[in-house]
PDB file of all heavy atoms in Angstrom:
ATOM      1  N   TRP V 282      84.070 110.410 103.221  1.00  0.00           N
ATOM      2  CA  TRP V 282      82.719 110.955 103.445  1.00  0.00           C
ATOM      3  C   TRP V 282      82.774 112.315 104.145  1.00  0.00           C
ATOM      4  O   TRP V 282      82.038 113.224 103.796  1.00  0.00           O
ATOM      5  CB  TRP V 282      81.898 109.971 104.279  1.00  0.00           C
ATOM      6  CG  TRP V 282      81.446 108.769 103.508  1.00  0.00           C
ATOM      7  CD1 TRP V 282      81.146 108.712 102.183  1.00  0.00           C
ATOM      8  CD2 TRP V 282      81.227 107.451 104.018  1.00  0.00           C
ATOM      9  NE1 TRP V 282      80.752 107.438 101.837  1.00  0.00           N
ATOM     10  CE2 TRP V 282      80.784 106.646 102.943  1.00  0.00           C
ATOM     11  CE3 TRP V 282      81.359 106.858 105.281  1.00  0.00           C
ATOM     12  CZ2 TRP V 282      80.475 105.286 103.093  1.00  0.00           C
ATOM     13  CZ3 TRP V 282      81.047 105.518 105.431  1.00  0.00           C
ATOM     14  CH2 TRP V 282      80.609 104.746 104.341  1.00  0.00           C
ATOM     15  N   ASN V 283      83.669 112.423 105.121  1.00  0.00           N
ATOM     16  CA  ASN V 283      83.780 113.697 105.862  1.00  0.00           C
ATOM     17  C   ASN V 283      84.068 114.874 104.945  1.00  0.00           C
ATOM     18  O   ASN V 283      83.630 115.985 105.197  1.00  0.00           O
ATOM     19  CB  ASN V 283      84.922 113.634 106.884  1.00  0.00           C
ATOM     20  CG  ASN V 283      84.489 112.928 108.146  1.00  0.00           C
ATOM     21  OD1 ASN V 283      83.288 112.746 108.367  1.00  0.00           O
ATOM     22  ND2 ASN V 283      85.448 112.513 108.955  1.00  0.00           N
ATOM     23  N   TYR V 284      84.829 114.606 103.876  1.00  0.00           N
ATOM     24  CA  TYR V 284      85.213 115.709 102.983  1.00  0.00           C
ATOM     25  C   TYR V 284      84.404 115.719 101.687  1.00  0.00           C
ATOM     26  O   TYR V 284      84.773 116.371 100.709  1.00  0.00           O
ATOM     27  CB  TYR V 284      86.727 115.667 102.717  1.00  0.00           C
ATOM     28  CG  TYR V 284      87.505 115.860 104.001  1.00  0.00           C
ATOM     29  CD1 TYR V 284      88.279 114.840 104.539  1.00  0.00           C
ATOM     30  CD2 TYR V 284      87.389 117.057 104.713  1.00  0.00           C
ATOM     31  CE1 TYR V 284      88.945 115.010 105.744  1.00  0.00           C
ATOM     32  CE2 TYR V 284      88.049 117.233 105.917  1.00  0.00           C
ATOM     33  CZ  TYR V 284      88.816 116.208 106.437  1.00  0.00           C
ATOM     34  OH  TYR V 284      89.452 116.377 107.627  1.00  0.00           O
ATOM     35  N   GLY V 285      83.321 114.978 101.677  1.00  0.00           N
ATOM     36  CA  GLY V 285      82.399 115.035 100.539  1.00  0.00           C
ATOM     37  C   GLY V 285      82.814 114.211  99.335  1.00  0.00           C
ATOM     38  O   GLY V 285      82.328 114.443  98.223  1.00  0.00           O
ATOM     39  N   LEU V 286      83.742 113.266  99.528  1.00  0.00           N
ATOM     40  CA  LEU V 286      84.157 112.400  98.415  1.00  0.00           C
ATOM     41  C   LEU V 286      83.390 111.079  98.474  1.00  0.00           C
ATOM     42  O   LEU V 286      82.912 110.688  99.541  1.00  0.00           O
ATOM     43  CB  LEU V 286      85.652 112.081  98.511  1.00  0.00           C
ATOM     44  CG  LEU V 286      86.625 113.243  98.633  1.00  0.00           C
ATOM     45  CD1 LEU V 286      88.044 112.724  98.783  1.00  0.00           C
ATOM     46  CD2 LEU V 286      86.534 114.139  97.405  1.00  0.00           C
ATOM     47  N   THR V 287      83.310 110.408  97.332  1.00  0.00           N
ATOM     48  CA  THR V 287      82.691 109.078  97.310  1.00  0.00           C
ATOM     49  C   THR V 287      83.796 108.029  97.280  1.00  0.00           C
ATOM     50  O   THR V 287      84.573 107.985  96.317  1.00  0.00           O
ATOM     51  CB  THR V 287      81.796 108.910  96.063  1.00  0.00           C
ATOM     52  OG1 THR V 287      80.745 109.860  96.132  1.00  0.00           O
ATOM     53  CG2 THR V 287      81.203 107.507  95.999  1.00  0.00           C
ATOM     54  N   PRO V 288      83.896 107.207  98.326  1.00  0.00           N
ATOM     55  CA  PRO V 288      84.925 106.164  98.301  1.00  0.00           C
ATOM     56  C   PRO V 288      84.553 105.018  97.371  1.00  0.00           C
ATOM     57  O   PRO V 288      83.390 104.631  97.282  1.00  0.00           O
ATOM     58  CB  PRO V 288      84.992 105.675  99.756  1.00  0.00           C
ATOM     59  CG  PRO V 288      83.696 106.079 100.380  1.00  0.00           C
ATOM     60  CD  PRO V 288      83.150 107.230  99.592  1.00  0.00           C
ATOM     61  N   ILE V 289      85.560 104.506  96.662  1.00  0.00           N
ATOM     62  CA  ILE V 289      85.408 103.238  95.933  1.00  0.00           C
ATOM     63  C   ILE V 289      86.186 102.220  96.763  1.00  0.00           C
ATOM     64  O   ILE V 289      87.422 102.216  96.775  1.00  0.00           O
ATOM     65  CB  ILE V 289      85.971 103.312  94.502  1.00  0.00           C
ATOM     66  CG1 ILE V 289      85.201 104.370  93.684  1.00  0.00           C
ATOM     67  CG2 ILE V 289      85.882 101.944  93.821  1.00  0.00           C
ATOM     68  CD1 ILE V 289      85.565 104.424  92.201  1.00  0.00           C
ATOM     69  N   LEU V 290      85.451 101.437  97.511  1.00  0.00           N
ATOM     70  CA  LEU V 290      86.078 100.475  98.421  1.00  0.00           C
ATOM     71  C   LEU V 290      86.378  99.181  97.663  1.00  0.00           C
ATOM     72  O   LEU V 290      85.466  98.538  97.148  1.00  0.00           O
ATOM     73  CB  LEU V 290      85.130 100.202  99.601  1.00  0.00           C
ATOM     74  CG  LEU V 290      85.538  99.057 100.528  1.00  0.00           C
ATOM     75  CD1 LEU V 290      86.851  99.352 101.238  1.00  0.00           C
ATOM     76  CD2 LEU V 290      84.426  98.778 101.548  1.00  0.00           C
ATOM     77  N   CYS V 291      87.665  98.822  97.597  1.00  0.00           N
ATOM     78  CA  CYS V 291      88.058  97.602  96.884  1.00  0.00           C
ATOM     79  C   CYS V 291      88.131  96.423  97.847  1.00  0.00           C
ATOM     80  O   CYS V 291      88.739  96.527  98.920  1.00  0.00           O
ATOM     81  CB  CYS V 291      89.434  97.779  96.244  1.00  0.00           C
ATOM     82  SG  CYS V 291      89.484  99.101  95.031  1.00  0.00           S
ATOM     83  N   VAL V 292      87.517  95.336  97.438  1.00  0.00           N
ATOM     84  CA  VAL V 292      87.562  94.098  98.227  1.00  0.00           C
ATOM     85  C   VAL V 292      87.855  92.942  97.270  1.00  0.00           C
ATOM     86  O   VAL V 292      87.553  93.035  96.079  1.00  0.00           O
ATOM     87  CB  VAL V 292      86.226  93.837  98.970  1.00  0.00           C
ATOM     88  CG1 VAL V 292      85.964  94.902 100.029  1.00  0.00           C
ATOM     89  CG2 VAL V 292      85.042  93.771  97.996  1.00  0.00           C
ATOM     90  N   GLY V 293      88.431  91.887  97.791  1.00  0.00           N
ATOM     91  CA  GLY V 293      88.695  90.736  96.922  1.00  0.00           C
ATOM     92  C   GLY V 293      89.656  89.764  97.559  1.00  0.00           C
ATOM     93  O   GLY V 293      90.496  90.145  98.381  1.00  0.00           O
ATOM     94  N   GLU V 294      89.526  88.510  97.149  1.00  0.00           N
ATOM     95  CA  GLU V 294      90.326  87.429  97.725  1.00  0.00           C
ATOM     96  C   GLU V 294      91.523  87.088  96.842  1.00  0.00           C
ATOM     97  O   GLU V 294      91.527  87.389  95.651  1.00  0.00           O
ATOM     98  CB  GLU V 294      89.447  86.184  97.906  1.00  0.00           C
ATOM     99  CG  GLU V 294      89.212  85.352  96.647  1.00  0.00           C
ATOM    100  CD  GLU V 294      88.277  85.993  95.623  1.00  0.00           C
ATOM    101  OE1 GLU V 294      87.697  87.060  95.899  1.00  0.00           O
ATOM    102  OE2 GLU V 294      88.148  85.437  94.505  1.00  0.00           O
ATOM    103  N   THR V 295      92.520  86.425  97.436  1.00  0.00           N
ATOM    104  CA  THR V 295      93.662  85.926  96.658  1.00  0.00           C
ATOM    105  C   THR V 295      93.278  84.572  96.054  1.00  0.00           C
ATOM    106  O   THR V 295      92.244  83.979  96.413  1.00  0.00           O
ATOM    107  CB  THR V 295      94.906  85.729  97.548  1.00  0.00           C
ATOM    108  OG1 THR V 295      94.594  84.726  98.522  1.00  0.00           O
ATOM    109  CG2 THR V 295      95.322  87.006  98.252  1.00  0.00           C
ATOM    110  N   LEU V 296      94.146  84.071  95.179  1.00  0.00           N
ATOM    111  CA  LEU V 296      93.867  82.777  94.535  1.00  0.00           C
ATOM    112  C   LEU V 296      93.878  81.648  95.574  1.00  0.00           C
ATOM    113  O   LEU V 296      93.027  80.747  95.537  1.00  0.00           O
ATOM    114  CB  LEU V 296      94.916  82.510  93.445  1.00  0.00           C
ATOM    115  CG  LEU V 296      94.582  81.388  92.472  1.00  0.00           C
ATOM    116  CD1 LEU V 296      93.211  81.604  91.831  1.00  0.00           C
ATOM    117  CD2 LEU V 296      95.636  81.298  91.380  1.00  0.00           C
ATOM    118  N   VAL V 297      94.804  81.730  96.506  1.00  0.00           N
ATOM    119  CA  VAL V 297      94.888  80.697  97.556  1.00  0.00           C
ATOM    120  C   VAL V 297      93.591  80.683  98.355  1.00  0.00           C
ATOM    121  O   VAL V 297      93.020  79.618  98.633  1.00  0.00           O
ATOM    122  CB  VAL V 297      96.108  80.977  98.476  1.00  0.00           C
ATOM    123  CG1 VAL V 297      96.100  80.076  99.706  1.00  0.00           C
ATOM    124  CG2 VAL V 297      97.397  80.833  97.702  1.00  0.00           C
ATOM    125  N   GLU V 298      93.103  81.870  98.676  1.00  0.00           N
ATOM    126  CA  GLU V 298      91.857  81.958  99.454  1.00  0.00           C
ATOM    127  C   GLU V 298      90.666  81.423  98.653  1.00  0.00           C
ATOM    128  O   GLU V 298      89.811  80.719  99.182  1.00  0.00           O
ATOM    129  CB  GLU V 298      91.624  83.409  99.889  1.00  0.00           C
ATOM    130  CG  GLU V 298      92.625  83.856 100.952  1.00  0.00           C
ATOM    131  CD  GLU V 298      92.767  85.378 101.092  1.00  0.00           C
ATOM    132  OE1 GLU V 298      92.327  86.133 100.196  1.00  0.00           O
ATOM    133  OE2 GLU V 298      93.356  85.803 102.102  1.00  0.00           O
ATOM    134  N   ARG V 299      90.631  81.747  97.364  1.00  0.00           N
ATOM    135  CA  ARG V 299      89.519  81.223  96.536  1.00  0.00           C
ATOM    136  C   ARG V 299      89.583  79.703  96.454  1.00  0.00           C
ATOM    137  O   ARG V 299      88.582  79.028  96.622  1.00  0.00           O
ATOM    138  CB  ARG V 299      89.544  81.848  95.129  1.00  0.00           C
ATOM    139  CG  ARG V 299      88.537  81.212  94.173  1.00  0.00           C
ATOM    140  CD  ARG V 299      88.099  82.107  93.055  1.00  0.00           C
ATOM    141  NE  ARG V 299      87.205  83.170  93.479  1.00  0.00           N
ATOM    142  CZ  ARG V 299      85.869  83.080  93.511  1.00  0.00           C
ATOM    143  NH1 ARG V 299      85.274  81.959  93.175  1.00  0.00           N
ATOM    144  NH2 ARG V 299      85.137  84.098  93.903  1.00  0.00           N
ATOM    145  N   ARG V 300      90.779  79.183  96.209  1.00  0.00           N
ATOM    146  CA  ARG V 300      90.908  77.722  96.070  1.00  0.00           C
ATOM    147  C   ARG V 300      90.565  77.007  97.367  1.00  0.00           C
ATOM    148  O   ARG V 300      90.127  75.861  97.354  1.00  0.00           O
ATOM    149  CB  ARG V 300      92.326  77.364  95.629  1.00  0.00           C
ATOM    150  CG  ARG V 300      92.517  77.702  94.160  1.00  0.00           C
ATOM    151  CD  ARG V 300      93.829  77.201  93.625  1.00  0.00           C
ATOM    152  NE  ARG V 300      93.910  77.427  92.192  1.00  0.00           N
ATOM    153  CZ  ARG V 300      95.032  77.657  91.538  1.00  0.00           C
ATOM    154  NH1 ARG V 300      96.182  77.702  92.176  1.00  0.00           N
ATOM    155  NH2 ARG V 300      95.008  77.834  90.241  1.00  0.00           N
ATOM    156  N   ALA V 301      90.770  77.714  98.480  1.00  0.00           N
ATOM    157  CA  ALA V 301      90.445  77.107  99.781  1.00  0.00           C
ATOM    158  C   ALA V 301      88.961  77.286 100.123  1.00  0.00           C
ATOM    159  O   ALA V 301      88.529  76.939 101.219  1.00  0.00           O
ATOM    160  CB  ALA V 301      91.325  77.727 100.872  1.00  0.00           C
ATOM    161  N   GLY V 302      88.193  77.854  99.195  1.00  0.00           N
ATOM    162  CA  GLY V 302      86.756  78.048  99.428  1.00  0.00           C
ATOM    163  C   GLY V 302      86.466  79.171 100.415  1.00  0.00           C
ATOM    164  O   GLY V 302      85.399  79.218 101.027  1.00  0.00           O
ATOM    165  N   ARG V 303      87.434  80.104 100.567  1.00  0.00           N
ATOM    166  CA  ARG V 303      87.281  81.146 101.584  1.00  0.00           C
ATOM    167  C   ARG V 303      87.002  82.529 100.985  1.00  0.00           C
ATOM    168  O   ARG V 303      87.088  83.544 101.687  1.00  0.00           O
ATOM    169  CB  ARG V 303      88.556  81.221 102.429  1.00  0.00           C
ATOM    170  CG  ARG V 303      88.805  79.963 103.259  1.00  0.00           C
ATOM    171  CD  ARG V 303      90.053  80.121 104.129  1.00  0.00           C
ATOM    172  NE  ARG V 303      90.006  81.360 104.875  1.00  0.00           N
ATOM    173  CZ  ARG V 303      91.004  82.265 104.916  1.00  0.00           C
ATOM    174  NH1 ARG V 303      92.114  82.055 104.257  1.00  0.00           N
ATOM    175  NH2 ARG V 303      90.876  83.370 105.608  1.00  0.00           N
ATOM    176  N   ALA V 304      86.660  82.574  99.690  1.00  0.00           N
ATOM    177  CA  ALA V 304      86.521  83.879  99.023  1.00  0.00           C
ATOM    178  C   ALA V 304      85.510  84.778  99.751  1.00  0.00           C
ATOM    179  O   ALA V 304      85.811  85.937 100.075  1.00  0.00           O
ATOM    180  CB  ALA V 304      86.126  83.693  97.568  1.00  0.00           C
ATOM    181  N   TRP V 305      84.327  84.261 100.035  1.00  0.00           N
ATOM    182  CA  TRP V 305      83.314  85.107 100.668  1.00  0.00           C
ATOM    183  C   TRP V 305      83.712  85.493 102.102  1.00  0.00           C
ATOM    184  O   TRP V 305      83.541  86.637 102.512  1.00  0.00           O
ATOM    185  CB  TRP V 305      81.926  84.454 100.640  1.00  0.00           C
ATOM    186  CG  TRP V 305      80.949  85.235 101.476  1.00  0.00           C
ATOM    187  CD1 TRP V 305      80.277  84.810 102.581  1.00  0.00           C
ATOM    188  CD2 TRP V 305      80.563  86.621 101.294  1.00  0.00           C
ATOM    189  NE1 TRP V 305      79.502  85.818 103.107  1.00  0.00           N
ATOM    190  CE2 TRP V 305      79.659  86.942 102.335  1.00  0.00           C
ATOM    191  CE3 TRP V 305      80.910  87.608 100.372  1.00  0.00           C
ATOM    192  CZ2 TRP V 305      79.087  88.217 102.460  1.00  0.00           C
ATOM    193  CZ3 TRP V 305      80.349  88.887 100.509  1.00  0.00           C
ATOM    194  CH2 TRP V 305      79.451  89.168 101.530  1.00  0.00           C
TER     195      TRP V 305
END
Side-chain angles (χ1 to χ4, degrees):
W282 286 329
N283 279 345
Y284 298 113
L286 307 177
T287 297
I289 298 187
L290 171 64
C291 299
V292 294
E294 80 288 354
T295 63
L296 194 54
V297 170
E298 290 160 345
R299 172 155 287 270
R300 285 188 174 149
R303 294 183 50 231
W305 171 242

